[in-house]
Amino acid sequence: MVELELTVNGKACMLKIEPGERLIDVLRQRLGLTGTKEGCGEGECGACTVIMDGRTINSCVVLAIQAHGRDITTIEGVGNRIRPHPVQRAFVEEGAVQCGYCTPGMVLAAKALLDKNPDPSPQEIGAAMSGNLCRCTGYDKILRAVQRAAREVTGT
Amino acid sequence: MEFFQPQNLTEAVERSGLDTCFLAGGTDLVLQLREGKAKPQVLVDLSRVTELKYLTAAGGCLEIGSMLTFAELGGSELARAKANALWLACQSMGSPQIRNQATLGGNLANCSPAADGLPPLLALGALVRLVSRRGEETVPLAELLSRRPLLEVGTLIRGFRIPDQGWKSGFAKLGRRRALAIARLSVALAVEREGNQAKRVRVALGAVGERPFLSEALAEMLQGREMNEAWLEDAAAAAQQVVASALGSRASAPYKRVAVSGVMREAWASLAGGEGTACG
Ligand SMILES: Cc1cc2nc3c(=O)[nH]c(=O)nc-3n(C[C@H](O)[C@H](O)[C@H](O)COP(=O)(O)OP(=O)(O)OC[C@H]3O[C@@H](n4cnc5c(N)ncnc54)[C@H](O)[C@@H]3O)c2cc1C
Ligand code: FES
Ligand code: FES
């Protein structure tokens, strides 16, 4: 067992884990943050996307111990029903959520983009979302939702 | 499995041996651990070894630390200016999430046939800096890729050295997702120009055979000639021959043989500084 110290959604966490445990398993099983979804489990689909030190990663191909000393944001840290993040609101308003399985990862990818670049071009949005697959929506509504959130964030 | 986090290069090298495995970004290794393909007693995590994280232009070379991620390289203007082919490969490798995590050192050590970092490094004439308890060694990547196994036990990739010879370089690839592995193919091209002459040329192919390689045949036929439409036609046609002989009767051979011409043209068009437009 090794000691893992990290910040998750602004809260300092300390726990003992096996070195081989994946970040997604520690988030979901040990910390109860089940908003992070496992799709492919192979780094392909982006359902398990979280933000680590400002950058998106796939938590299914990262060991929890690699997050030692780092700052993680999961979907639970982005917003909630009462106070949704602009990206979450835009997803609902544009109908960008169908089964919802890809949505947490999509929202985090969009948030990471807008945190760095509040006024992205459609190409930049497409590139930033290219690591996230959706089997339901056909992407149009998702890309529109991100554009809408960007307008809201920049107040235009 | 134990976990060890060395704080410097010496500690990392001292602790590595038969029963250990280096951990860089983990994008290959985490899956291999889960599938039981890698079963180390000790994971040696390289993330705190600052000696492996550098990107500088010094002494007429571009120096790249093995722990640089594809996102870091792909976001570097220095890399773009000095190693355009590699910079281009960094834009299309994996996905944003994978690029944020995956390192160039891990790309070489894992050495998949379709490793995107390797054809550009080959075309750019890169040297690889290795460290082990036996000492340091600097070898041309092309030579390293002929070794079996690639790395001796306990050998760490410290970084890459790209001689800044003012060559123009480009890269193109086909097929992105692993689900489409059979459709993967990449071409990296580097040209030393004199006017419109291609004085010297290096062409590397990826996902054609077991490991990426430099094609001597292509280089020989393309250098010392004027770069015009005929040159590009010849390059595209000769690339087909190279792919056909490298793949033999493999299932992907007919497809890749045809596709390589297009990828070659794209690689040409991507040569730094808009040089590729000379051929329309
Ligand atoms: C969804 C997905 C998509 C991908 N797409 C691509 C793609 O398009 N193109 C591509 O090329 N690759 C792709 N990959 C493969 C992978 O991301 C790359 O090979 C990556 O560069 C590996 O680097 P890493 O830092 O994650 O290595 P790790 O997984 O940490 O390590 C890989 C291997 O290298 C060894 N190692 C790492 N660093 C060193 C070092 N400095 N010295 C000695 N040994 C070392 C490790 O012990 C291990 O055996 C993809 C992977 C996934 C999961
Ligand atoms: S579950 Fe991690 S990328 Fe698909
Ligand atoms: S909404 Fe179902 S996968 Fe995207």
Side-chain angles (χ1 to χ4, degrees):
Chain A
M1 294 290 244
V2 284
E3 291 262 348
L4 171 66
E5 279 178 45
L6 74 173
T7 306
V8 181
N9 301 329
K11 259 191 7 218
C13 303
M14 241 173 86
L15 52 168
K16 278 202 186 316
I17 58 158
E18 293 293 342
E21 281 183 68
R22 300 178 307 171
L23 181 57
I24 189 171
D25 298 326
V26 166
L27 292 172
R28 287 179 56 88
Q29 288 157 25
R30 293 193 186 259
L31 298 174
L33 297 169
T34 52
T36 305
K37 302 300 176 202
E38 178 157 8
C40 65
E42 295 185 351
E44 282 284 351
C45 74
C48 65
T49 301
V50 300
I51 300 176
M52 180 157 87
D53 290 346
R55 290 185 294 257
T56 54
I57 55 165
N58 288 333
S59 59
C60 73
V61 286
V62 172
L63 297 179
I65 195 68
Q66 292 180 272
H68 184 73
R70 306 198 188 270
D71 194 277
I72 302 284
T73 303
T74 69
I75 192 65
E76 288 87 349
V78 174
N80 54 39
R81 268 172 213 276
I82 299 154
R83 273 169 198 266
H85 186 274
V87 172
Q88 290 172 309
R89 209 166 31 234
F91 266 62
V92 173
E93 285 164 1
E94 290 289 341
V97 183
Q98 285 186 28
C99 81
Y101 205 78
C102 70
T103 310
M106 290 282 182
V107 169
L108 285 159
K111 178 186 184 309
L113 168 69
L114 297 183
D115 285 349
K116 278 204 199 94
N117 177 1
D119 189 18
S121 68
Q123 288 75 17
E124 287 169 326
I125 294 175
M129 308 297 289
S130 64
N132 294 75
L133 304 186
C134 175
R135 301 180 63 161
C136 305
T137 65
Y139 302 102
D140 266 9
K141 290 177 173 173
I142 291 175
L143 298 179
R144 251 184 281 145
V146 182
Q147 279 169 330
R148 182 180 187 130
R151 283 198 300 272
E152 195 174 319
V153 170
T154 53
T156 54
Chain B
M1 189 171 67
E2 283 173 46
F3 183 76
F4 175 62
Q5 196 167 66
Q7 302 298 313
N8 58 51
L9 195 58
T10 314
E11 281 181 22
V13 170
E14 288 298 321
R15 190 65 188 83
S16 67
L18 263 181
D19 58 347
T20 68
C21 195
F22 293 121
L23 171 65
T27 59
D28 283 315
L29 189 58
V30 173
L31 293 175
Q32 290 163 5
L33 289 171
R34 266 170 75 81
E35 291 165 358
K37 287 182 190 155
K39 292 181 192 161
Q41 298 278 310
V42 187
L43 269 186
V44 179
D45 174 24
L46 300 176
S47 65
R48 299 297 190 273
V49 181
T50 49
E51 291 123 300
L52 301 176
K53 206 139 193 159
Y54 55 86
L55 180 62
T56 54
C61 293
L62 182 67
E63 301 276 356
I64 304 172
S66 62
M67 283 297 284
L68 243 57
T69 65
F70 279 80
E72 286 163 341
L73 277 166
S76 156
E77 278 307 315
L78 183 64
R80 185 181 199 169
K82 304 282 182 194
N84 185 55
L86 182 60
W87 183 86
L88 286 170
C90 291
Q91 312 303 315
S92 61
M93 183 268 188
S95 66
Q97 289 92 326
I98 296 293
R99 294 195 287 273
N100 282 335
Q101 195 66 22
T103 66
L104 195 59
N107 202 242
L108 170 57
N110 192 63
C111 200
S112 109
D116 279 336
L118 303 186
L121 287 168
L122 280 169
L124 289 160
L127 306 170
V128 185
R129 297 175 66 193
L130 304 173
V131 204
S132 71
R133 262 179 279 182
R134 294 174 299 279
E136 294 220 13
E137 186 192 7
T138 302
V139 270
L141 174 60
E143 185 191 322
L144 183 65
L145 286 173
S146 68
R147 294 186 185 172
R148 303 280 188 286
L150 184 82
L151 301 172
E152 277 183 55
V153 171
T155 305
L156 178 81
I157 301 164
R158 179 171 189 166
F160 303 86
R161 175 173 294 158
I162 297 175
D164 184 8
Q165 302 168 312
W167 291 35
K168 301 288 176 199
S169 69
F171 173 83
K173 85 163 174 173
L174 191 75
R176 296 193 39 172
R177 300 207 166 264
R178 289 207 296 178
L180 297 175
I182 195 169
R184 279 191 167 189
L185 177 71
S186 62
V187 174
L189 183 67
V191 183
E192 181 186 20
R193 292 187 71 149
E194 219 174 50
N196 206 30
Q197 288 271 321
K199 207 170 147 210
R200 281 187 292 169
V201 177
R202 277 192 293 258
V203 188
L205 300 176
V208 180
E210 198 194 335
R211 288 177 175 177
F213 62 93
L214 274 177
S215 169
E216 294 290 333
L218 275 171
E220 255 167 49
M221 93 159 269
L222 294 173
Q223 56 200 10
R225 291 175 51 186
E226 189 175 335
M227 289 192 287
N228 50 26
E229 189 54 42
W231 186 90
L232 190 53
E233 280 297 328
D234 285 354
Q240 293 207 359
Q241 296 293 316
V242 173
V243 168
S245 71
L247 284 180
S249 58
R250 256 174 268 189
S252 60
Y255 170 71
K256 286 188 177 174
R257 185 171 52 76
V258 177
V260 72
S261 292
V263 181
M264 174 65 94
R265 286 175 177 279
E266 260 185 64
W268 158 258
S270 76
L271 280 188
E275 301 285 331
T277 53
C279 287

